[in-house]
Amino acid sequence: MSSVESHQEQLSQSDPSPSPNSCSSFELIDMDAGGLYEPVSPHWFYCKIIDSKEAWIPFNSEDSQQLEEAYDSGKDCNGRVVPTDGGRYDVHLGERMRYAVYWDELASEVRRCTWFYKGDKDNKYVPYSESFSQVLEETYMLAVTLDEWKKKLESPNREIIILHNPKLMVHYQPVAGSDEWGSTPTEQGRPRTVKRGVENISVDIHCGEPLQIDHLVFVVHGIGPACDLRFRSIVQCVNDFRSVSLNLLQTHFKKAQENQQIGRVEFLPVNWHSPLHSTGVDVDLQRITLPSINRLRHFTNDTILDVFFYNSPTYCQTIVDTVASEMNRIYTLFLQRNPNFKGGVSIAGHSLGSLILFDILTNQKDSLGDIDSKKDFPNIFMAQGDTRTLEEDLKKLQLSEFFSIFEKEKVDKEALALCTDKDLQEMGIPLGPRKKILNYFRTRKNSMGINRPTPPSASGANMSNIPKEAEFCSRTGDTGNDDYLDVGIGQVSIKYPRLIYKPEIFFAFGSPIGMFLTVRGLKRIDPNYKFPTCKGFFNIYHPFDPVAYRIEPMVVPDVEFEPMLIPHHKGRKRMHLELREGLTRMSMDLKNNLLGSLRMAWKSFTRAPYPALQASETAEETEAEPESSSERPSDVNTEETSVAAKEEVPPINVGMLNGGQRIDYVLQEKPIESFNEYLFALQSHLCYWESEDTVLLVLKEIYQTQGIFLDQPLQ
């Protein structure tokens, strides 16, 4: 290298701009390049397997700089671990591997990249290995410094790289079957472009994420391992949700970011499908699955059956334990890695995941520690709704002769509910009566919270004995006819675990909660009910989502009202919705004016006071009257009347489930979706991951709890 440096000094001392008479234009380019050699700027990439193909993805600029600084630190790289991607991944520098922190994922290869060649089909550039990139760089440096080109190299994979000049460098793949005596490189297929430095290839490199984390959100998936139409996992879908969030923070919370009031919201996925299907249930199902239509049956076993698993006591316990333990584990790990985190925590669930979270939140213990699980509910309601004595129960079963035995053994109703078949047999109860008693008390225990109407007397002092957080419906209405039922109705008898934090808001995307509560037997939710540990609840859905159901009609069943329309993230309504409303309003105005004109014409031409005509006229007015309340010529404008009526309508009280705010929020469908609702039904159920409107509502509600609002309120 000393000869190269001396030669470079001679070139630098010579005239850098030779005369055109002695050099061609091509040589001018080479001579200019000879005096302008600069070391290549490396950038760090990681390899991701997408659709069984390797894809090299660049780290964001901040992460790449941190990796390069750790690489250049001079310390031993074998023990160096660099957190990347907002702390969600760790790069082990010595191994050149990237590991996920909060979830299970295959490790990815990491590479310090300087030289690239164009790939096979997707036209994306693939980095060379670090060792061969160093060889290419040394060869390039010599060629530039000595102004000697036409350099040919052979990679370890027998790939041929030719450096014609700084602007033209090509790569030839080896031909299958050719040996070292084979054809020349120019005859080995189509050449591929070779580029030096990441700045010369077309790749998107993001700036990075804010270091400050304001809020943490856990996201729980629904049925099946795939969460969208591209069959991507919950991790990939949450990555999209997070990316949309970062973009919206820059556009809609720009002032707060400039004033360094906010950083970002971290979204972390929670996976329960894999632990459920690793219990061996798939093997058991496969033994009984018919061999026909194999793919459809496999899809059913892997996806749709998750709903039935959740209604099974055995697997419901597994699902609930997995979700709660994962959220607790990730939260603890997150605090360890972010010791300065002072923000709150919220949870979000998609489809069945929202129902799982709803049941977990319903069965949380409040600060007083009144109720620990669903198992506590039957005893609470037994004191309220079951007033019969053991003797009366046995008389109902026509087993009064055995009351003396229970009285002798000092067995009351609660003790009898805990007895097994063996216990009754030891007391001398015959087989038939034993089965009747066990079946009766088992049925009573499971149904105590299902069909138990609150007695009229319970509206008084007795209801004060029940902790309000344990009630789904605390008391009867003013009329005494409305039956409120327990929130745990119809749930399988399992032990619900506790969360180690109190969520601030619960977001449900495309949620079937309303349907499940109705199927479980619940007809109405007490307006005073709220989650024991969570203040907010937002039910967000697409209007064409076939799985989504409303919640507010269960709180206010006697009033029909529309859900809250989620504003478009760019403001106002979508154009086709405004056009539709405008056309509807115009048609109503035309209809009202036309009916008014016909009535006036009819009155002017019908002079004869025939009873039939009078009756017909009266009937016509009576029929037309409900269609429009402002048809008289002297009435004010229809639109003004409707606006005035809207202003006079008092706000709807939908209870305390969301702290007094509205619960149901509906997205605006896209123009193409409005053409055919059925065509976009499935897509509508999976649209939330990339929906800017959904993400913006989540961000708005989260930051409102911190006193930070949008730059411009959306309408």
Side-chain angles (χ1 to χ4, degrees):
M1 292 300 294
S2 59
S3 60
V4 173
E5 292 175 356
S6 61
H7 189 80
Q8 187 174 6
E9 290 179 0
Q10 295 175 4
L11 288 175
S12 62
Q13 294 173 0
S14 62
D15 187 6
S17 56
S19 71
N21 295 331
S22 60
C23 299
S24 65
S25 60
F26 181 78
E27 291 171 339
L28 274 174
I29 296 176
D30 289 347
M31 291 301 294
D32 289 342
L36 294 176
Y37 171 76
E38 293 182 0
V40 64
S41 298
H43 195 93
W44 292 76
F45 282 67
Y46 64 91
C47 183
K48 194 90 170 179
I49 306 298
I50 301 176
D51 297 333
S52 302
K53 296 180 182 178
E54 290 186 353
W56 286 91
I57 302 173
F59 285 96
N60 62 60
S61 56
E62 292 183 3
D63 290 344
S64 180
Q65 183 177 355
Q66 288 185 1
L67 290 169
E68 187 64 20
E69 290 175 355
Y71 176 82
D72 292 335
S73 63
K75 300 179 181 179
D76 184 15
C77 292
N78 290 330
R80 297 298 299 272
V81 177
V82 181
T84 61
D85 299 276
R88 296 181 296 275
Y89 289 89
D90 282 342
V91 172
H92 293 234
L93 211 58
E95 302 176 24
R96 292 292 197 274
M97 298 297 290
R98 172 177 175 264
Y99 297 93
V101 174
Y102 298 108
W103 56 83
D104 293 331
E105 184 179 311
L106 292 176
S108 307
E109 181 185 352
V110 175
R111 190 174 292 180
R112 182 177 181 264
C113 304
T114 53
W115 285 75
F116 308 84
Y117 67 94
K118 188 167 287 189
D120 294 331
K121 298 178 181 179
D122 52 7
N123 289 328
K124 292 183 178 179
Y125 283 90
V126 180
Y128 289 103
S129 65
E130 292 188 35
S131 58
F132 189 66
S133 294
Q134 187 175 357
V135 174
L136 284 170
E137 182 64 20
E138 292 175 354
T139 305
Y140 177 86
M141 182 186 67
L142 288 173
V144 171
T145 305
L146 302 176
D147 192 22
E148 294 179 0
W149 293 96
K150 307 290 184 182
K151 298 288 185 179
K152 181 171 71 173
L153 296 88
E154 183 175 349
S155 72
N157 298 330
R158 299 196 63 211
E159 299 165 336
I160 303 299
I161 295 91
I162 300 178
L163 309 182
H164 292 285
N165 58 60
K167 305 292 183 182
L168 180 60
M169 295 175 283
V170 293
H171 170 113
Y172 293 95
Q173 290 277 35
V175 177
S178 64
D179 53 20
E180 57 186 18
W181 302 99
S183 56
T184 61
T186 56
E187 298 175 351
Q188 291 185 353
R190 184 177 179 181
R192 301 180 184 180
T193 306
V194 175
K195 294 291 184 181
R196 175 178 177 266
V198 71
E199 63 274 2
N200 293 319
I201 64 175
S202 57
V203 61
D204 294 331
I205 300 177
H206 301 287
C207 297
E209 303 176 12
L211 296 178
Q212 177 186 338
I213 300 177
D214 306 316
H215 204 85
L216 176 63
V217 180
F218 294 111
V219 184
V220 180
H221 66 86
I223 61 173
C227 296
D228 67 353
L229 292 176
R230 287 176 281 178
F231 298 99
R232 297 185 304 165
S233 66
I234 179 63
V235 174
Q236 295 170 302
C237 291
V238 172
N239 286 343
D240 278 351
F241 202 87
R242 189 185 306 108
S243 299
V244 174
S245 167
L246 292 172
N247 293 334
L248 290 175
L249 285 175
Q250 296 176 359
T251 57
H252 291 71
F253 294 86
K254 190 174 182 179
K255 294 180 181 178
Q257 278 197 335
E258 291 176 351
N259 297 331
Q260 297 183 348
Q261 293 178 291
I262 63 172
R264 63 184 174 92
V265 177
E266 180 62 282
F267 297 90
L268 296 179
V270 177
N271 181 16
W272 55 266
H273 181 269
S274 299
L276 169 66
H277 288 263
S278 62
T279 58
V281 64
D282 288 352
V283 178
D284 298 335
L285 284 173
Q286 190 60 37
R287 287 198 296 264
I288 61 175
T289 301
L290 301 181
S292 58
I293 52 174
N294 183 49
R295 291 185 179 180
L296 180 59
R297 296 186 193 278
H298 175 73
F299 174 80
T300 301
N301 291 349
D302 202 35
T303 303
I304 301 177
L305 285 189
D306 286 350
V307 179
F308 298 96
F309 285 138
Y310 188 66
N311 289 320
S312 162
T314 302
Y315 297 108
C316 180
Q317 187 71 65
T318 301
I319 294 173
V320 170
D321 287 344
T322 301
V323 171
S325 63
E326 274 294 284
M327 290 196 293
N328 289 339
R329 179 189 66 84
I330 296 174
Y331 180 69
T332 303
L333 182 58
F334 178 83
L335 292 182
Q336 293 175 358
R337 296 175 63 89
N338 301 273
N340 297 324
F341 176 72
K342 303 298 182 183
V345 184
S346 294
I347 56 178
H350 175 244
S351 190
L352 182 63
S354 64
L355 178 66
I356 298 171
L357 293 177
F358 184 89
D359 289 341
I360 291 177
L361 288 179
T362 302
N363 291 275
Q364 288 300 291
K365 181 186 291 185
D366 66 350
S367 58
L368 299 178
D370 292 322
I371 290 181
D372 185 37
S373 70
K374 166 77 167 57
K375 291 184 177 180
D376 296 321
F377 287 135
N379 294 333
I380 292 173
F381 292 130
M382 189 174 291
Q384 288 296 322
D386 192 2
T387 58
R388 286 194 298 267
T389 63
L390 176 59
E391 185 177 6
E392 291 173 341
D393 284 333
L394 292 175
K395 184 177 181 180
K396 180 180 179 181
L397 295 174
Q398 297 179 354
L399 300 174
S400 300
E401 64 269 21
F402 299 105
F403 177 70
S404 59
I405 298 177
F406 293 128
E407 191 175 23
K408 179 182 178 181
E409 296 289 341
K410 296 183 178 181
V411 175
D412 57 6
K413 288 183 65 173
E414 294 184 6
L416 185 56
L418 299 174
C419 289
T420 63
D421 184 78
K422 186 177 180 181
D423 295 331
L424 297 178
Q425 186 177 4
E426 291 177 353
M427 285 188 283
I429 308 297
L431 177 62
R434 287 203 311 267
K435 295 301 180 183
K436 285 184 179 182
I437 293 172
L438 290 173
N439 180 67
Y440 175 76
F441 280 96
R442 187 185 302 114
T443 305
R444 295 288 296 173
K445 183 177 180 180
N446 291 335
S447 64
M448 188 57 64
I450 299 179
N451 297 318
R452 181 195 60 80
T454 304
S457 61
S459 60
N462 289 338
M463 287 301 294
S464 62
N465 297 329
I466 301 181
K468 289 188 176 180
E469 289 77 10
E471 309 164 26
F472 197 85
C473 303
S474 60
R475 49 197 263 173
T476 58
D478 296 335
T479 60
N481 296 324
D482 295 331
D483 292 338
Y484 293 127
L485 306 179
D486 164 46
V487 71
I489 59 170
Q491 294 173 260
V492 292
S493 180
I494 63 170
K495 183 176 178 59
Y496 285 91
R498 288 191 62 185
L499 300 177
I500 59 177
Y501 54 87
K502 292 185 177 181
E504 293 192 8
I505 307 176
F506 168 35
F507 299 98
F509 306 139
S511 171
I513 293 174
M515 180 268 290
F516 270 85
L517 292 180
T518 302
V519 171
R520 288 171 177 176
L522 182 67
K523 295 182 179 180
R524 185 172 180 183
I525 300 174
D526 186 348
N528 296 321
Y529 174 76
K530 57 184 178 181
F531 294 124
T533 59
C534 185
K535 300 177 182 178
F537 175 36
F538 290 84
N539 182 37
I540 303 170
Y541 61 92
H542 191 282
F544 303 156
D545 189 340
V547 181
Y549 290 81
R550 292 191 62 183
I551 299 293
E552 291 174 340
M554 300 187 71
V555 183
V556 191
D558 300 329
V559 182
E560 292 186 5
F561 54 97
E562 296 294 326
M564 292 291 290
L565 186 68
I566 299 176
H568 191 265
H569 64 283
K570 294 183 179 179
R572 297 183 62 83
K573 293 182 181 178
R574 293 183 183 271
M575 184 67 70
H576 70 287
L577 294 180
E578 289 191 348
L579 181 61
R580 182 192 302 169
E581 291 182 1
L583 291 175
T584 303
R585 194 182 307 114
M586 184 176 65
S587 64
M588 288 299 297
D589 291 342
L590 290 174
K591 178 182 177 182
N592 294 336
N593 293 335
L594 179 60
L595 288 175
S597 301
L598 288 175
R599 182 178 295 106
M600 293 298 295
W602 181 260
K603 288 181 179 180
S604 61
F605 284 106
T606 54
R607 303 289 185 181
Y610 295 129
L613 289 178
Q614 292 291 340
S616 176
E617 181 181 344
T618 305
E620 184 182 19
E621 291 179 1
T622 305
E623 292 174 1
E625 197 65 29
E627 297 177 358
S628 174
S629 61
S630 57
E631 295 176 358
R632 299 183 181 88
S634 60
D635 285 349
V636 295
N637 186 283
T638 306
E639 186 175 352
E640 295 178 357
T641 305
S642 61
V643 171
K646 289 181 181 178
E647 292 178 353
E648 294 175 359
V649 174
I652 301 173
N653 180 16
V654 292
M656 299 305 296
L657 195 55
N658 191 24
Q661 298 184 67
R662 294 291 300 273
I663 301 172
D664 293 335
Y665 289 79
V666 60
L667 292 166
Q668 301 179 36
E669 72 272 16
K670 298 178 181 178
I672 191 174
E673 294 173 343
S674 60
F675 287 112
N676 192 321
E677 300 177 3
Y678 295 94
L679 186 63
F680 294 93
L682 180 58
Q683 178 179 331
S684 300
H685 183 58
L686 306 173
C687 72
Y688 307 98
W689 308 115
E690 299 178 358
S691 169
E692 293 93 342
D693 300 348
T694 301
V695 178
L696 187 58
L697 177 63
V698 171
L699 294 177
K700 181 175 75 72
E701 295 301 330
I702 286 176
Y703 278 112
Q704 275 186 0
T705 62
Q706 304 177 16
I708 298 173
F709 302 92
L710 293 168
D711 293 341
Q712 294 181 353
L714 299 178
Q715 296 180 352

